[in-house]
Amino acid sequence: MNFDLEKFKVHGEPLIYGAMISIALVSIGIVVGLTVFKKWGWLWREWLTTVDHKRIGVMYILAALLMLFRGGIDAMMMRLQTAAPDMKFLDAQHYNEVFTTHGLIMILFMAMPFIIGLMNVVVPLQIGARDVAFPRLNAVSFWLFFFGAMLLNISFVIGGSPDAGWSAYFPLASLEFSPTVGNNYYSLALQISGIGTLMTGVNFIVTILKMRAPGMTLMRMPMFTWSVLITNVIIVFAFPVLTVALALMMFDRLFGSQFFTMANGGMDMLWANLFWVWGHPEVYIVILPAFGIYSEIIATFSKKNLYGYTSMVASMLIISLLSFLVWAHHFYTMGQGVMVNSFFSISTMAIAVPTGVKIFNWLFTLRKGRISFTTPMLYSLAFIPIFTIGGVTGVMLAMASADYQYHNTMFLVAHFHYVLIPGAVFAVIAGFHYWFPKVFGFRLNERIGKHAFWWIIISFNVAFFPLFILGLKGMTRRMYTYSAETGFGPLNMISFAGALGLAIGFVILVYNIYWSTRYMPRDENGDPWDARTLEWATHSPIPEYNFAVVPKVKSRDAFWAMKHDKQPLFEEPITKIHMPSNTGKPFVLGVVFFFLGFFLVFSMWIPAIVAGVGVLIALAAMSFERDHGFYIPADKVIKTEKKLGGGTV
């Protein structure tokens, strides 16, 4: 085997040694806990082998919350290192690794799985379906994402993290400039998890187009479902580009090919183009579902139907098209011609127009509404002005000539945080609060939730607004230290204080989950918010089969029409219900993919070949399996409905 054992070691950092010890202790604690409380069988039956879209959604969200804190620790370390001049907390190499993994984890392993988790929980309910179109493929998607995330996360204790930035530009990501295995982890972990995301895209397109309840036409779908449909179309077109780019990167690093080299016919700019052809649509993959979440929440807590439904759908379609026409604005400064820069400048400014349409739609929905200032509504209201700041600064960056000044400064860092945090993080927190009672049967505490909200909103602005000023003063991105003479110290210290406040806010959010689980009263009617859409028409917590009777939809906001216009939703008698069977094969496939990736990272060819054969065997076992699911008898459904409150019997 052609590998060096020294590559496994990560040297010299007390923080990393502490992380190794903490990972070992937590792992031992989990194993001991499951053994003492005899929960191994329960874990296997109820979670590791599940194909229930709701449970898969919960697992996505749990993984995203873990990654939120993992990425948050990286952010705190960066802010601490730059809080004062000449800090020695991190050295240059460790700082490179930290900002690289922070970007990867927050975008690909926090924001995306959180959104896909909400998508899994909510979309089948909103369209009146009993599950997604391909339940087992859904399980495969999750386990590939999960084990891809785990592969990336072990890099900082085994071998070393990627260190060429989250965009991994060549030649920085090449073996010449990054000889450690960190960027091997990058290429393989992202390939594995990206395949899972691509499967999700196919699955949800088919689910939404083919499994809607009778009467639910496309123009009667809830706005969140519309946003998910458009997002998954973007996924299907964008993610294959990333997969190909990562495969070429893997060939360059592991097999000596020359796709992205500076010599022998390679093109380093080929990587930049491939990455951003995926990377900019990726921004809208996380933003568009967030727009759908805000649309649902604002309509519910304004007690009004969403203003301009058709224009909202049209604006999302236009955004999805334009998202593929703006990628080169990420490298205005790399020597393109005037015509190219002009085209991408115009297309980048144009994408602000349909986004502005949506802002006005939400404002007109609020106008004359009977607004309830719940925790999810507060996040939705705070989003509008903060995201607008991000959008306006984005238009500034869209001007190619001005971007020469802004591009490599902290101004750009401030801009994309003002877009992505209100545009994705606030949205998933709002959606988490909003749909939490639907999944678990009780609400999160409003008082604690509002405490967390104010900590997060105020601290966010304290943390990131100073970066606009620092950027205009000349502080560059990725600068791990600076001298006192620069004058950057005071604003960086303010930013660090804001980061501490953000950490406190997220800790309060997690405490709210714990407190509410123990003390909040359980809901009885399944509709704690007086909501409008179909997911609230079933019980809380949701039964395995979602709806005892498939609803018949006659209008938009079908559940609101049932409550206030007396339009019946459930008109058929209860009959037996067909459901998919659980299976452990997706979990096993994920494990084998993990080992395949790990062995390839370290060029351990014989174990990698064995793991590759294992992947083929697992895929064959799933392909040739004939399992037609099972039926829940009608009398059992009736008994469950009566126990839960009997909305359809």
Side-chain angles (χ1 to χ4, degrees):
M1 289 183 289
N2 180 26
F3 70 94
D4 183 358
L5 285 172
E6 278 295 310
K7 290 184 178 180
F8 284 95
K9 298 179 181 178
V10 179
H11 297 281
E13 285 287 347
L15 289 170
I16 293 174
Y17 295 143
M20 292 177 181
I21 294 169
S22 63
I23 289 170
L25 291 175
V26 169
S27 300
I28 293 169
I30 291 171
V31 171
V32 169
L34 290 169
T35 304
V36 169
F37 294 104
K38 299 180 179 177
K39 290 293 185 181
W40 286 107
W42 167 83
L43 180 66
W44 178 257
R45 289 189 307 273
E46 300 294 327
W47 294 97
L48 300 185
T49 63
T50 188
V51 296
D52 186 336
H53 70 95
K54 302 176 288 294
R55 289 178 181 266
I56 290 173
V58 169
M59 290 193 292
Y60 268 115
I61 292 168
L62 286 173
L65 286 171
L66 287 172
M67 293 298 101
L68 174 64
F69 281 88
R70 165 73 174 87
I73 290 169
D74 285 343
M76 291 300 300
M77 290 194 291
M78 285 189 289
R79 289 291 90 214
L80 177 58
Q81 170 60 27
T82 56
D86 300 313
M87 286 285 283
K88 306 294 184 184
F89 179 65
L90 300 173
D91 62 27
Q93 175 61 24
H94 197 187
Y95 188 82
N96 287 349
E97 294 178 5
V98 166
F99 77 67
T100 299
T101 54
H102 170 73
L104 284 174
I105 285 170
M106 285 304 208
I107 294 174
L108 290 171
F109 298 118
M110 191 289 291
M112 281 204 67
F114 215 135
I115 285 165
I116 292 173
L118 292 174
M119 188 190 302
N120 264 280
V121 170
V122 176
V123 167
L125 296 169
Q126 284 199 333
I127 63 173
R130 293 217 165 94
D131 210 312
V132 295
F134 308 114
R136 294 191 169 198
L137 188 67
N138 201 23
V140 171
S141 298
F142 171 75
W143 289 116
L144 289 182
F145 148 74
F146 179 80
F147 283 107
M150 292 303 101
L151 182 62
L152 183 74
N153 274 276
I154 66 167
S155 65
F156 75 106
V157 294
I158 303 176
S161 296
D163 58 2
W166 91 278
S167 55
Y169 277 175
F170 280 79
L172 290 176
S174 67
L175 275 174
E176 181 182 358
F177 290 95
S178 181
T180 69
V181 297
N183 287 301
N184 295 353
Y185 275 113
Y186 180 105
S187 65
L188 289 154
L190 268 62
Q191 279 187 82
I192 292 169
S193 60
I195 293 168
T197 303
L198 181 59
M199 291 175 179
T200 296
V202 173
N203 205 345
F204 274 86
I205 290 171
V206 177
T207 298
I208 294 169
L209 293 181
K210 302 299 290 185
M211 297 188 68
R212 301 189 306 278
M216 180 166 282
T217 62
L218 288 174
M219 295 308 289
R220 287 178 179 171
M221 292 195 311
M223 195 53 61
F224 180 62
T225 299
W226 256 116
S227 71
V228 168
L229 176 60
I230 294 168
T231 296
N232 283 287
V233 171
I234 298 175
I235 286 173
V236 167
F237 280 97
F239 263 81
V241 180
L242 177 66
T243 303
V244 169
L246 291 168
L248 299 180
M249 178 184 189
M250 179 184 70
F251 289 138
D252 269 16
R253 290 188 57 86
L254 296 183
F255 304 109
S257 61
Q258 304 284 316
F259 292 107
F260 305 125
T261 59
M262 300 289 285
N264 300 318
M267 293 175 59
D268 57 326
M269 281 301 296
L270 175 61
W271 169 266
N273 278 276
L274 290 174
F275 182 87
W276 288 115
V277 165
W278 162 81
H280 204 87
E282 164 66 16
V283 173
Y284 294 98
I285 288 169
V286 297
I287 293 288
L288 287 178
F291 289 170
I293 292 168
Y294 289 132
S295 297
E296 301 292 345
I297 291 171
I298 288 171
T300 294
F301 295 112
S302 298
K303 295 291 184 285
K304 288 176 63 181
N305 60 303
L306 188 67
Y307 180 90
Y309 177 98
T310 304
S311 64
M312 289 285 269
V313 173
S315 64
M316 284 195 292
L317 288 168
I318 293 168
I319 288 170
S320 69
L321 292 172
L322 288 175
S323 71
F324 286 93
L325 299 176
V326 298
W327 82 87
H329 71 215
H330 290 275
F331 36 92
Y332 282 146
T333 59
M334 295 186 188
Q336 298 165 142
V338 173
M339 286 299 295
V340 172
N341 280 354
S342 298
F343 173 84
F344 285 98
S345 182
I346 292 166
S347 63
T348 303
M349 293 182 194
I351 209 166
V353 176
T355 307
V357 168
K358 303 180 81 59
I359 297 287
F360 283 105
N361 285 141
W362 291 317
L363 292 175
F364 281 120
T365 304
L366 291 165
R367 182 175 179 266
K368 296 186 179 180
R370 290 175 290 144
I371 299 172
S372 301
F373 293 98
T374 61
T375 302
M377 187 62 159
L378 287 174
Y379 281 104
S380 304
L381 295 174
F383 151 78
I384 294 174
I386 296 173
F387 185 79
T388 300
I389 294 172
V392 169
T393 54
V395 173
M396 292 171 63
L397 290 160
M399 296 181 286
S401 55
D403 190 66
Y404 271 81
Q405 178 69 32
Y406 302 136
H407 188 83
N408 201 39
T409 71
M410 297 301 286
F411 186 93
L412 189 140
V413 175
H415 155 70
F416 65 67
H417 282 88
Y418 264 81
V419 169
L420 286 172
I421 292 183
V425 179
F426 291 1
V428 295
I429 296 172
F432 181 74
H433 281 81
Y434 181 61
W435 283 301
F436 188 92
K438 175 49 56 182
V439 178
F440 296 104
F442 61 94
R443 283 187 282 187
L444 293 171
N445 182 273
E446 280 287 295
R447 183 178 61 84
I448 301 174
K450 288 174 181 176
H451 276 296
F453 165 79
W454 287 113
W455 273 99
I456 289 170
I457 295 299
I458 294 171
S459 300
F460 165 79
N461 287 285
V462 173
F464 292 105
F465 197 84
L467 303 188
F468 284 121
I469 303 169
L470 283 167
L472 295 175
K473 286 167 69 74
M475 184 176 178
T476 60
R477 292 194 280 167
R478 311 181 188 95
M479 179 187 287
Y480 90 101
T481 189
Y482 54 90
S483 65
E485 288 75 15
T486 61
F488 298 155
L491 287 172
N492 273 302
M493 183 58 73
I494 292 170
S495 179
F496 175 62
L500 284 175
L502 269 174
I504 293 169
F506 287 119
V507 169
I508 295 171
L509 191 154
V510 172
Y511 172 73
N512 194 8
I513 299 171
Y514 162 77
W515 192 95
S516 301
T517 301
R518 292 197 64 180
Y519 301 116
M520 283 297 286
R522 272 43 185 168
D523 298 319
E524 295 180 358
N525 65 357
D527 180 27
W529 308 121
D530 190 20
R532 310 180 70 84
T533 46
L534 209 53
E535 73 269 27
W536 302 99
T538 187
H539 309 288
S540 297
I542 311 155
E544 178 185 9
Y545 47 78
N546 293 352
F547 299 95
V549 174
V550 175
K552 288 190 174 179
V553 176
K554 300 178 179 66
S555 62
R556 288 180 198 157
D557 294 344
F559 185 47
W560 185 266
M562 185 193 84
K563 292 186 294 184
H564 297 275
D565 300 333
K566 308 303 179 187
Q567 286 185 6
L569 271 175
F570 306 104
E571 302 179 59
E572 301 293 327
I574 291 177
T575 59
K576 64 181 180 180
I577 296 174
H578 181 260
M579 299 298 296
S581 301
N582 285 0
T583 174
K585 291 183 178 64
F587 176 79
V588 172
L589 179 65
V591 171
V592 179
F593 256 111
F594 173 87
F595 282 107
L596 173 62
F598 182 81
F599 294 140
L600 286 173
V601 164
F602 292 97
S603 302
M604 300 166 67
W605 303 119
I606 294 175
I609 291 169
V610 172
V613 172
V615 167
L616 295 176
I617 291 170
L619 290 171
M622 294 183 67
S623 299
F624 291 105
E625 183 181 24
R626 298 181 66 84
D627 188 301
H628 300 292
F630 66 97
Y631 283 94
I632 304 174
D635 57 346
K636 186 176 180 180
V637 176
I638 292 170
K639 184 178 179 180
T640 303
E641 288 292 297
K642 288 180 177 177
K643 180 181 177 182
L644 292 173
T648 59
V649 296

